[in-house]
Coordinates of all heavy atoms in Angstrom, one line a residue:
M1347 N -11.6 -4.6 18.4 CA -10.3 -4.2 18.2 C -10.2 -3.1 17.3 O -10.8 -3.1 16.2 CB -9.4 -5.4 17.8 CG -7.9 -5.0 17.8 SD -7.0 -6.5 17.3 CE -5.6 -5.8 16.6
N1348 N -9.4 -2.0 17.6 CA -9.3 -0.8 16.8 C -8.3 -1.2 15.6 O -7.2 -1.6 15.8 CB -8.8 0.3 17.6 CG -8.9 1.6 16.9 OD1 -9.3 1.6 15.8 ND2 -8.4 2.7 17.4
K1349 N -8.9 -1.0 14.4 CA -8.1 -1.4 13.2 C -7.6 -0.1 12.6 O -8.4 0.6 11.8 CB -8.9 -2.2 12.3 CG -8.3 -2.8 11.1 CD -9.2 -3.7 10.4 CE -8.7 -4.2 9.2 NZ -9.6 -5.1 8.4
S1350 N -6.4 0.4 12.9 CA -5.9 1.6 12.2 C -5.1 1.3 11.0 O -4.8 0.1 10.7 CB -5.1 2.4 13.3 OG -3.9 1.6 13.6
C1351 N -4.9 2.4 10.2 CA -4.2 2.1 8.9 C -3.3 3.3 8.5 O -3.5 4.4 9.1 CB -5.1 1.7 7.8 SG -6.2 3.2 7.3
E1352 N -2.4 3.0 7.6 CA -1.6 4.1 7.1 C -2.0 4.2 5.6 O -2.2 3.3 4.9 CB -0.1 3.7 7.0 CG 0.6 3.7 8.4 CD 2.1 3.3 8.2 OE1 2.8 4.2 7.8 OE2 2.4 2.2 8.5
N1353 N -2.3 5.5 5.2 CA -2.8 5.7 3.8 C -1.6 6.4 3.1 O -1.0 7.3 3.5 CB -3.9 6.8 3.9 CG -5.2 6.1 4.5 OD1 -5.5 5.0 4.3 ND2 -5.8 6.9 5.3
F1354 N -1.5 5.9 1.8 CA -0.5 6.5 0.9 C -1.2 6.7 -0.4 O -1.9 5.8 -0.9 CB 0.7 5.5 0.7 CG 1.5 5.3 2.0 CD1 1.2 4.1 2.7 CD2 2.4 6.2 2.3 CE1 1.9 3.9 3.9 CE2 3.1 5.9 3.5 CZ 2.9 4.8 4.2
R1355 N -1.0 7.9 -1.0 CA -1.6 8.2 -2.3 C -0.5 8.2 -3.3 O 0.6 8.7 -3.1 CB -2.2 9.6 -2.2 CG -3.0 9.8 -3.6 CD -3.8 11.2 -3.4 NE -4.5 11.4 -4.7 CZ -5.1 12.5 -4.9 NH1 -5.1 13.5 -4.0 NH2 -5.8 12.6 -6.1
Y1356 N -0.7 7.5 -4.5 CA 0.3 7.4 -5.5 C -0.3 7.7 -6.9 O -1.3 7.1 -7.2 CB 0.9 5.9 -5.5 CG 2.1 5.8 -6.4 CD1 3.4 6.3 -6.1 CD2 1.9 5.3 -7.7 CE1 4.4 6.2 -6.9 CE2 3.0 5.1 -8.5 CZ 4.2 5.6 -8.2 OH 5.2 5.5 -9.0
L1357 N 0.4 8.5 -7.6 CA 0.0 8.9 -9.0 C 1.0 8.1 -9.9 O 2.2 8.4 -9.8 CB 0.0 10.4 -9.2 CG -0.9 11.2 -8.3 CD1 -0.7 12.7 -8.6 CD2 -2.4 10.9 -8.7
E1358 N 0.4 7.2 -10.8 CA 1.3 6.5 -11.7 C 1.9 7.4 -12.7 O 1.3 8.4 -13.1 CB 0.5 5.4 -12.4 CG 0.2 4.3 -11.5 CD -0.5 3.1 -12.2 OE1 -1.2 3.4 -13.3 OE2 -0.5 2.0 -11.8
K1359 N 3.2 7.1 -13.1 CA 4.0 7.8 -14.1 C 3.6 7.3 -15.5 O 3.6 8.1 -16.4 CB 5.4 7.8 -13.8 CG 5.7 8.4 -12.5 CD 7.2 8.1 -12.1 CE 7.4 8.6 -10.7 NZ 8.6 7.9 -10.0
G1360 N 3.4 6.1 -15.7 CA 3.1 5.5 -17.0 C 1.7 5.5 -17.4 O 0.8 5.8 -16.5
W1361 N 1.4 5.2 -18.7 CA 0.0 5.1 -19.1 C -0.6 3.8 -18.8 O 0.1 2.8 -19.1 CB 0.1 5.4 -20.6 CG -1.3 5.8 -21.1 CD1 -2.1 4.9 -21.8 CD2 -2.1 7.0 -21.0 NE1 -3.3 5.5 -22.1 CE2 -3.3 6.7 -21.6 CE3 -1.8 8.1 -20.4 CZ2 -4.2 7.7 -21.7 CZ3 -2.7 9.1 -20.5 CH2 -4.0 8.9 -21.1
P1362 N -1.8 3.7 -18.4 CA -2.7 4.7 -18.1 C -2.4 5.3 -16.7 O -2.1 4.5 -15.8 CB -4.1 4.0 -18.1 CG -3.8 2.6 -17.7 CD -2.4 2.4 -18.3
R1363 N -2.4 6.5 -16.5 CA -2.1 7.2 -15.2 C -3.3 7.0 -14.3 O -4.3 7.6 -14.4 CB -1.8 8.7 -15.5 CG -0.7 8.9 -16.4 CD -0.4 10.4 -16.5 NE 0.4 10.7 -17.7 CZ 1.8 10.6 -17.7 NH1 2.4 10.2 -16.6 NH2 2.5 10.9 -18.7
R1364 N -3.0 6.2 -13.3 CA -4.0 5.9 -12.3 C -3.6 6.7 -11.0 O -2.5 6.9 -10.6 CB -4.1 4.5 -12.0 CG -4.7 3.7 -13.1 CD -5.0 2.3 -12.8 NE -3.7 1.5 -12.6 CZ -3.6 0.3 -12.2 NH1 -4.7 -0.5 -12.2 NH2 -2.4 -0.3 -12.1
D1365 N -4.7 7.2 -10.3 CA -4.6 7.9 -9.0 C -4.9 6.7 -8.0 O -6.1 6.4 -7.9 CB -5.6 9.0 -8.9 CG -5.5 9.7 -7.6 OD1 -4.6 9.4 -6.8 OD2 -6.3 10.6 -7.4
L1366 N -3.9 6.3 -7.2 CA -4.2 5.1 -6.4 C -4.0 5.6 -4.8 O -3.2 6.4 -4.5 CB -3.2 4.0 -6.6 CG -3.1 3.5 -8.1 CD1 -2.0 2.5 -8.2 CD2 -4.5 2.8 -8.4
T1367 N -4.8 4.9 -4.0 CA -4.7 5.1 -2.5 C -4.4 3.7 -2.0 O -5.2 2.7 -2.3 CB -5.9 5.6 -1.9 OG1 -6.2 7.0 -2.5 CG2 -5.8 5.7 -0.4
F1368 N -3.3 3.5 -1.3 CA -2.9 2.3 -0.6 C -3.2 2.4 0.9 O -2.8 3.4 1.5 CB -1.4 2.1 -0.8 CG -1.0 1.8 -2.2 CD1 -0.8 2.8 -3.1 CD2 -0.8 0.5 -2.6 CE1 -0.4 2.5 -4.4 CE2 -0.4 0.2 -3.9 CZ -0.2 1.2 -4.8
K1369 N -4.0 1.5 1.4 CA -4.3 1.5 2.9 C -3.7 0.2 3.5 O -4.2 -0.8 3.2 CB -5.8 1.4 3.1 CG -6.4 2.8 2.6 CD -7.9 2.8 3.0 CE -8.5 4.1 2.7 NZ -9.8 4.3 3.3
F1370 N -2.7 0.4 4.3 CA -2.0 -0.7 5.0 C -2.5 -0.7 6.5 O -2.2 0.2 7.2 CB -0.5 -0.5 5.0 CG 0.2 -0.6 3.7 CD1 0.4 0.5 2.9 CD2 0.5 -1.9 3.2 CE1 1.0 0.4 1.6 CE2 1.1 -2.0 2.0 CZ 1.4 -0.9 1.2
Y1371 N -3.3 -1.7 6.7 CA -3.9 -1.8 8.1 C -2.9 -2.5 9.1 O -2.1 -3.3 8.6 CB -5.2 -2.6 8.0 CG -6.3 -1.9 7.3 CD1 -6.4 -2.1 5.9 CD2 -7.0 -0.9 7.9 CE1 -7.4 -1.4 5.2 CE2 -8.0 -0.3 7.2 CZ -8.2 -0.6 5.9 OH -9.2 0.1 5.2
T1372 N -3.0 -2.3 10.3 CA -2.2 -2.8 11.3 C -2.2 -4.3 11.5 O -1.2 -4.9 11.9 CB -2.4 -2.2 12.8 OG1 -3.8 -2.4 13.0 CG2 -2.0 -0.7 12.7
D1373 N -3.2 -4.9 11.1 CA -3.4 -6.4 11.1 C -2.8 -7.1 9.9 O -2.8 -8.3 9.7 CB -4.8 -6.9 11.3 CG -5.7 -6.5 10.1 OD1 -5.3 -5.9 9.1 OD2 -6.9 -6.9 10.2
G1374 N -2.2 -6.3 8.9 CA -1.4 -6.8 7.8 C -2.3 -6.8 6.6 O -1.8 -7.1 5.4
T1375 N -3.6 -6.5 6.6 CA -4.4 -6.4 5.3 C -4.1 -5.1 4.6 O -3.5 -4.2 5.1 CB -5.9 -6.5 5.7 OG1 -6.2 -5.4 6.6 CG2 -6.3 -7.8 6.4
L1376 N -4.4 -5.2 3.3 CA -4.2 -4.1 2.4 C -5.4 -3.9 1.5 O -6.1 -4.8 1.1 CB -3.1 -4.5 1.5 CG -2.8 -3.6 0.2 CD1 -2.2 -2.3 0.7 CD2 -1.9 -4.4 -0.7
T1377 N -5.7 -2.6 1.3 CA -6.7 -2.1 0.3 C -6.1 -1.2 -0.6 O -5.5 -0.3 -0.2 CB -7.9 -1.5 1.0 OG1 -8.4 -2.4 1.9 CG2 -9.0 -1.1 0.0
I1378 N -6.2 -1.4 -1.9 CA -5.8 -0.5 -3.0 C -7.0 0.1 -3.7 O -7.8 -0.7 -4.2 CB -4.8 -1.2 -4.0 CG1 -3.7 -1.8 -3.2 CG2 -4.3 -0.2 -5.0 CD1 -2.8 -2.7 -4.1
I1379 N -7.2 1.4 -3.7 CA -8.3 2.0 -4.3 C -7.9 2.8 -5.5 O -6.9 3.6 -5.4 CB -9.0 2.9 -3.3 CG1 -9.5 2.1 -2.1 CG2 -10.2 3.6 -4.0 CD1 -10.0 2.9 -0.9
D1380 N -8.5 2.6 -6.7 CA -8.3 3.4 -7.9 C -9.2 4.6 -7.7 O -10.5 4.4 -7.8 CB -8.6 2.6 -9.2 CG -8.3 3.4 -10.4 OD1 -8.2 4.7 -10.4 OD2 -8.2 2.8 -11.5
N1381 N -8.8 5.8 -7.4 CA -9.6 6.9 -7.1 C -10.4 7.4 -8.2 O -11.5 7.9 -8.0 CB -8.7 8.1 -6.5 CG -8.1 7.6 -5.2 OD1 -8.7 7.0 -4.3 ND2 -6.8 7.9 -5.0
R1382 N -9.9 7.4 -9.4 CA -10.7 7.8 -10.6 C -11.8 6.9 -10.9 O -12.9 7.3 -11.2 CB -9.7 8.0 -11.8 CG -8.8 9.2 -11.5 CD -8.0 9.5 -12.8 NE -7.1 10.6 -12.5 CZ -5.9 10.7 -13.0 NH1 -5.4 9.7 -13.6 NH2 -5.1 11.7 -12.6
A1383 N -11.5 5.5 -11.0 CA -12.5 4.6 -11.3 C -13.4 4.3 -10.1 O -14.5 3.6 -10.2 CB -12.0 3.3 -11.7
E1384 N -13.0 4.7 -8.9 CA -13.7 4.4 -7.6 C -14.0 2.9 -7.4 O -15.1 2.5 -7.1 CB -15.0 5.2 -7.6 CG -14.8 6.7 -7.5 CD -16.1 7.5 -7.4 OE1 -17.2 6.9 -7.4 OE2 -15.9 8.7 -7.3
E1385 N -12.9 2.2 -7.6 CA -13.0 0.7 -7.3 C -11.8 0.2 -6.6 O -10.7 0.8 -6.7 CB -13.2 0.0 -8.7 CG -12.0 0.1 -9.6 CD -12.3 -0.6 -10.9 OE1 -13.5 -0.9 -11.3 OE2 -11.3 -0.8 -11.7
V1386 N -11.9 -0.9 -6.0 CA -10.8 -1.5 -5.3 C -10.1 -2.5 -6.3 O -10.8 -3.2 -7.0 CB -11.4 -2.4 -4.0 CG1 -10.3 -3.1 -3.4 CG2 -12.0 -1.5 -3.0
I1387 N -8.8 -2.5 -6.3 CA -8.0 -3.3 -7.2 C -7.0 -4.2 -6.3 O -6.9 -3.9 -5.1 CB -7.3 -2.5 -8.2 CG1 -6.2 -1.6 -7.6 CG2 -8.2 -1.7 -9.1 CD1 -5.3 -0.9 -8.5
S1388 N -6.6 -5.2 -6.9 CA -5.7 -6.2 -6.2 C -4.3 -5.8 -6.6 O -4.0 -5.2 -7.6 CB -6.0 -7.6 -6.5 OG -5.6 -7.9 -7.9
P1389 N -3.3 -6.3 -5.8 CA -1.9 -6.1 -6.2 C -1.5 -6.7 -7.5 O -0.6 -6.2 -8.1 CB -1.1 -6.8 -5.0 CG -2.1 -6.7 -3.8 CD -3.5 -6.9 -4.4
N1390 N -2.2 -7.7 -8.0 CA -2.0 -8.3 -9.2 C -2.2 -7.3 -10.4 O -1.7 -7.6 -11.5 CB -2.9 -9.5 -9.4 CG -2.4 -10.7 -8.5 OD1 -1.3 -10.7 -8.0 ND2 -3.4 -11.5 -8.2
D1391 N -3.1 -6.3 -10.2 CA -3.4 -5.4 -11.2 C -2.4 -4.3 -11.4 O -2.5 -3.4 -12.2 CB -4.8 -4.7 -10.9 CG -5.9 -5.7 -11.0 OD1 -5.8 -6.7 -11.7 OD2 -6.9 -5.5 -10.2
L1392 N -1.3 -4.2 -10.4 CA -0.3 -3.1 -10.4 C 0.8 -3.6 -11.4 O 1.1 -4.8 -11.5 CB 0.3 -3.0 -9.0 CG -0.7 -2.6 -8.0 CD1 0.0 -2.6 -6.6 CD2 -1.3 -1.3 -8.3
K1393 N 1.3 -2.5 -12.1 CA 2.5 -2.8 -13.0 C 3.5 -1.6 -12.8 O 3.1 -0.5 -12.5 CB 1.9 -2.7 -14.4 CG 1.0 -3.9 -14.8 CD 0.5 -3.8 -16.2 CE -0.5 -4.9 -16.5 NZ -1.1 -4.7 -17.7
G1394 N 4.7 -1.9 -13.2 CA 5.8 -0.9 -13.3 C 5.9 -0.1 -12.0 O 6.2 -0.7 -10.9
D1395 N 5.9 1.2 -12.0 CA 6.2 2.0 -10.9 C 5.3 1.8 -9.7 O 5.7 1.9 -8.6 CB 6.4 3.5 -11.3 CG 5.2 4.1 -11.9 OD1 4.4 3.3 -12.6 OD2 4.9 5.2 -11.7
S1396 N 4.0 1.6 -10.0 CA 3.0 1.4 -8.9 C 3.3 0.1 -8.1 O 3.2 0.0 -6.9 CB 1.6 1.4 -9.4 OG 1.3 0.5 -10.4
M1397 N 3.8 -1.0 -8.9 CA 4.1 -2.2 -8.3 C 5.4 -2.0 -7.4 O 5.4 -2.5 -6.3 CB 4.4 -3.3 -9.2 CG 4.8 -4.6 -8.7 SD 3.7 -5.3 -7.5 CE 2.8 -6.4 -8.6
D1398 N 6.3 -1.3 -7.9 CA 7.5 -0.9 -7.1 C 7.2 -0.2 -5.9 O 7.7 -0.5 -4.8 CB 8.5 -0.1 -8.0 CG 9.8 0.1 -7.3 OD1 10.5 -0.8 -6.9 OD2 10.2 1.3 -7.2
F1399 N 6.3 0.8 -6.0 CA 5.9 1.5 -4.8 C 5.2 0.6 -3.8 O 5.5 0.7 -2.6 CB 4.8 2.7 -5.2 CG 4.3 3.4 -4.0 CD1 5.0 4.4 -3.5 CD2 3.0 3.1 -3.6 CE1 4.5 5.2 -2.4 CE2 2.5 3.8 -2.5 CZ 3.2 4.8 -2.0
Y1400 N 4.3 -0.3 -4.2 CA 3.6 -1.2 -3.4 C 4.7 -2.1 -2.6 O 4.5 -2.3 -1.4 CB 2.6 -2.0 -4.1 CG 2.2 -3.3 -3.4 CD1 1.5 -3.3 -2.3 CD2 2.7 -4.5 -3.8 CE1 1.1 -4.5 -1.6 CE2 2.3 -5.7 -3.3 CZ 1.5 -5.6 -2.1 OH 1.2 -6.8 -1.4
V1401 N 5.6 -2.7 -3.4 CA 6.6 -3.5 -2.7 C 7.5 -2.8 -1.7 O 7.6 -3.4 -0.6 CB 7.5 -4.2 -3.9 CG1 8.6 -5.0 -3.3 CG2 6.6 -5.2 -4.7
R1402 N 7.9 -1.7 -2.0 CA 8.7 -0.9 -1.1 C 7.9 -0.5 0.2 O 8.5 -0.6 1.2 CB 9.2 0.4 -1.8 CG 10.3 0.1 -2.8 CD 10.8 1.4 -3.4 NE 11.6 1.1 -4.6 CZ 13.0 0.9 -4.5 NH1 13.5 1.1 -3.3 NH2 13.7 0.7 -5.6
R1403 N 6.7 -0.2 0.0 CA 5.9 0.2 1.2 C 5.6 -1.0 2.0 O 5.5 -1.0 3.2 CB 4.6 0.8 0.8 CG 4.7 2.3 0.4 CD 4.7 3.1 1.7 NE 5.8 4.0 1.6 CZ 6.5 4.5 2.7 NH1 6.1 4.2 3.9 NH2 7.4 5.3 2.5
R1404 N 5.3 -2.2 1.4 CA 5.1 -3.4 2.1 C 6.3 -3.9 2.9 O 6.2 -4.3 4.0 CB 4.6 -4.5 1.1 CG 4.4 -5.8 1.7 CD 3.3 -5.8 2.7 NE 2.0 -6.2 2.2 CZ 0.8 -6.2 2.8 NH1 0.7 -5.7 4.1 NH2 -0.2 -6.7 2.3
I1405 N 7.5 -3.7 2.3 CA 8.7 -4.1 2.9 C 8.9 -3.2 4.2 O 9.2 -3.7 5.2 CB 9.9 -4.1 2.0 CG1 9.8 -5.2 1.0 CG2 11.2 -4.1 2.8 CD1 10.8 -5.2 -0.1
A1406 N 8.6 -1.8 4.0 CA 8.9 -0.9 5.1 C 7.8 -1.3 6.3 O 8.2 -1.2 7.4 CB 8.7 0.5 4.6
F1407 N 6.6 -1.7 5.9 CA 5.6 -2.0 6.9 C 6.0 -3.3 7.7 O 5.9 -3.3 8.9 CB 4.3 -2.3 6.1 CG 3.2 -2.7 7.0 CD1 2.5 -1.8 7.8 CD2 2.8 -4.0 7.1 CE1 1.5 -2.2 8.6 CE2 1.8 -4.4 8.0 CZ 1.1 -3.6 8.7
I1408 N 6.6 -4.3 7.0 CA 7.0 -5.5 7.6 C 8.2 -5.2 8.5 O 8.2 -5.8 9.6 CB 7.3 -6.6 6.6 CG1 6.1 -7.1 5.9 CG2 8.0 -7.8 7.2 CD1 6.3 -7.9 4.6
K1409 N 9.1 -4.5 8.1 CA 10.3 -4.1 8.9 C 9.9 -3.4 10.2 O 10.4 -3.7 11.3 CB 11.3 -3.2 8.1 CG 12.1 -3.9 7.1 CD 13.1 -3.0 6.5 CE 14.0 -3.7 5.5 NZ 15.0 -2.8 4.8
N1410 N 8.9 -2.4 10.1 CA 8.5 -1.7 11.2 C 7.8 -2.6 12.2 O 8.0 -2.6 13.4 CB 7.5 -0.6 10.8 CG 8.3 0.6 10.1 OD1 9.5 0.7 10.3 ND2 7.5 1.3 9.4
K1411 N 7.0 -3.5 11.6 CA 6.3 -4.5 12.6 C 7.3 -5.4 13.3 O 7.2 -5.7 14.4 CB 5.4 -5.3 11.7 CG 4.3 -6.1 12.5 CD 3.1 -6.4 11.6 CE 2.1 -7.1 12.4 NZ 0.9 -6.3 12.8
L1412 N 8.3 -5.9 12.5 CA 9.4 -6.8 13.1 C 10.1 -6.0 14.2 O 10.4 -6.5 15.3 CB 10.3 -7.3 12.1 CG 9.7 -8.4 11.2 CD1 10.7 -8.7 10.0 CD2 9.4 -9.7 12.0
T1413 N 10.4 -4.8 13.9 CA 11.2 -3.9 14.9 C 10.4 -3.7 16.2 O 10.9 -3.8 17.3 CB 11.5 -2.6 14.3 OG1 12.4 -2.8 13.2 CG2 12.3 -1.7 15.2
A1414 N 9.1 -3.4 16.1 CA 8.2 -3.3 17.1 C 8.1 -4.6 18.0 O 8.1 -4.5 19.2 CB 6.8 -2.9 16.7
A1415 N 8.0 -5.7 17.3 CA 7.9 -7.0 18.0 C 9.2 -7.3 18.8 O 9.2 -7.8 19.9 CB 7.6 -8.1 17.1
Q1416 N 10.4 -6.9 18.1 CA 11.7 -7.1 18.8 C 11.8 -6.3 20.0 O 12.3 -6.7 21.1 CB 12.8 -6.9 17.8 CG 13.0 -7.9 16.8 CD 14.2 -7.5 15.9 OE1 14.4 -6.3 15.7 NE2 14.8 -8.5 15.2
Q1417 N 11.3 -5.0 20.0 CA 11.4 -4.1 21.1 C 10.4 -4.5 22.2 O 10.7 -4.4 23.4 CB 11.1 -2.7 20.7 CG 12.2 -2.1 19.8 CD 11.9 -0.7 19.3 OE1 10.8 -0.2 19.5 NE2 12.9 -0.1 18.7
K1418 N 9.3 -5.2 21.8 CA 8.3 -5.6 22.8 C 8.8 -6.7 23.6 O 8.6 -6.8 24.8 CB 7.0 -5.9 22.1 CG 5.9 -6.3 23.0 CD 4.7 -6.7 22.2 CE 3.5 -7.1 23.1 NZ 2.3 -7.5 22.3
Y1419 N 9.6 -7.7 23.0 CA 10.0 -8.9 23.6 C 11.4 -8.9 24.0 O 11.9 -9.9 24.5 CB 9.6 -10.1 22.7 CG 8.2 -10.3 22.5 CD1 7.6 -10.1 21.3 CD2 7.3 -10.6 23.6 CE1 6.2 -10.2 21.1 CE2 6.0 -10.8 23.4 CZ 5.4 -10.6 22.1 OH 4.1 -10.7 22.0
A1420 N 12.1 -7.8 23.8 CA 13.6 -7.7 24.2 C 13.8 -7.4 25.6 O 13.0 -6.9 26.3 CB 14.3 -6.7 23.4

């Protein structure tokens, strides 16, 4: 199965300023990469504005998935 994803880059406003890439895959999985440290981090490591960004993107992803399912079965 082809596993596509949406990539979002986010630069934190607070200290320490991290350069993050969020990858939301179509199957619901998520990968968050700290581009400067070159490591994968978990949503538990997010704070402040980066956590807010993650939550808003996750909600938008879920809404889009629900809308697609409704249109498919309507």
Side-chain angles (χ1 to χ4, degrees):
M1347 184 172 157
N1348 189 5
K1349 190 174 173 181
S1350 62
C1351 71
E1352 289 184 78
N1353 295 317
F1354 297 97
R1355 188 170 181 194
Y1356 187 79
L1357 300 172
E1358 288 185 333
K1359 297 172 187 158
W1361 193 258
R1363 298 182 197 277
R1364 293 186 291 184
D1365 179 8
L1366 304 173
T1367 298
F1368 292 81
K1369 293 185 175 192
F1370 291 94
Y1371 293 93
T1372 54
D1373 65 356
T1375 59
L1376 166 75
T1377 303
I1378 304 171
I1379 302 168
D1380 183 341
N1381 295 317
R1382 289 188 183 138
E1384 296 182 359
E1385 63 184 15
V1386 176
I1387 62 173
S1388 73
N1390 294 335
D1391 297 329
L1392 301 175
K1393 295 178 185 171
D1395 59 328
S1396 59
M1397 176 59 92
D1398 184 56
F1399 176 81
Y1400 161 69
V1401 169
R1402 290 179 188 272
R1403 280 282 131 205
R1404 179 59 102 185
I1405 290 170
F1407 178 79
I1408 292 168
K1409 282 183 180 179
N1410 289 339
K1411 195 156 182 112
L1412 287 172
T1413 301
Q1416 285 177 336
Q1417 290 176 354
K1418 182 178 178 182
Y1419 296 110

